[in-house]
Amino acid sequence: MTTDIDIARRATLRPIADVAASAGIPATAIEPYGRAKAKIDITALPAPAKQGKLILVTAINPTPAGEGKTTTSIGLADALNLTGRRAVLALREPSLGPCFGTKGGATGGGYAQVAPMADINLHFTGDFHAITAAHNLLAAMIDNHVHWGNALDIDVRRVSWRRVLDMNDRALRDVTQSLGGVANGYPRQSGFDITVASEVMAVLCLAENVADLRARLGRIIVAETRARQPVTARDLKADGAMAVLLADAIKPNLVQTLAGNPAIIHGGPFANIAHGCNSVIATRTALGLADYVVTEAGFGADLGAEKFFDIKCRQAGLTPAAVVIVATVRALKMNGGVAKAELGAADVAAVTRGAANLVRHIENIGQFGVPAVVAINHFGGDSDGEIAAIEEACAAHGVRAILCRHWAMGGAGATALADAVADIAETGGIFAPLYPDDAPLLDKIRTIATRIYRAADIAPTPAVATQLARWEAAGFGDLPICMAKTQYSFSADPSLLGAPVGHVVPIREARLAAGAGFVVAICGDLMTMPGLPRVPAAEAIGLDSAGQVEGLF
């Protein structure tokens, strides 16, 4: 079988200037990064004549069988353009950690890919490196301030700002730093998170412009004083230098699909740790260029879509017109109790059982008032009976399910989906977030857990409840919630598949992301620094005799 990277390598790409011109981006707004990538200077764009319709692509809970959310997003954007509609794709950038770990890259697959595939999955235009540098500069300035007299009276026991690295490395989760004597600073316990979990990443993705970026960076809380008062990046005079490091990273990146259609790829917060959406700047740029903008939110709709609605759309004033929920026969069979090794055998009953997971997501999207359609991402072994079972389950809940073959056929395999999406986007709905701004923080967490996860209740530790009350008293009570939870289940238990009800969601920690503008509720045993699997994808990645990347997927 031809691999994704082989397909990508054989594609003939359009010059990036031509891609920009086809999207209505003037040459003066393009800053090329080689032949096939460019930054967009949004200050040089003309004022848009109108705003396009925003289409969110989300999915069922991910399984090892694969769902193909990014592949479907790309196939849908190509199909919209193929059917005579003006569409632009707006996606997140991949993280190096998953590329070399279990998940692999995030540029789609088959004939529904964005290119140049290897560049995008690896260093791209350096955005993630800039975010890592800005984050770690702030960490260095905290320790430096303490070393040189600690004028702010920072309590080194209450420094909450950890360092980051864009790599899966469990050995860095908890570390003791500054050992070796007086010259190396004050020893303390700390650790690393993965870059995509950094608040700097969230800040970049939610900022309106450069001025808002610096303001948000300045509001980041990094520690407390001995009097329990917050210490911010602005207090440390770090916000200006951090903004300088991010001056190019805040500009959206322009690439193309294999069909030559424009794709804006920018930012990449994880959806199980952070808010899982591409940047507001990229989305708004796309909305000013096209009639339809296809974007995605990470992992299943219980995480990515909920945060897209309750955090990104709430903060940026965006109104989604339609939602696509991606499912596969294989993944629903796993939710129905079939082991991965047995997925090749047809099992209509298992699909019917597993469809409970899909139905739950359909119901949840309905709570936000946005019309939805289901995309069945086709695999070669899918039987007619299994596909019919999904269609029947969706029809029983008033939603169309459309078989899509974009992996094998590109946009031509998703034209029926494009037509359905355009139809429901024109009909529209009445979008509303799940909870009001002024609800207590603990009530917001409980609302998400009970209405989206179908939990009986939440179980915050006493320390979490106390911390949330303190933040409300300090004026942060109107912030939305970013749930940090396993992506594999509606519960906090990754082994509990399907559509569980009546479980309790443990809230073991809360973090205030004052710069990003949300409160993070960490559920169960979720790690903010992933580890590599027993056999990491990195073992199969290398360069061939011509210096081309092999093994990346």
Side-chain angles (χ1 to χ4, degrees), residues 111-125:
Y111 291 90
Q113 296 189 54
V114 283
M117 181 264 219
D119 290 15
I120 296 168
N121 275 319
L122 298 175
H123 303 291
F124 201 16
T125 57

Side-chain angles (χ1 to χ4, degrees), residues 314 435-439 441 444 471-472 475-481 517:
R314 184 193 302 264
Y435 50 80
D437 291 340
D438 58 1
L441 293 174
K444 292 174 183 176
W471 290 335
E472 287 175 346
F476 297 107
D478 62 342
L479 297 183
I481 298 297

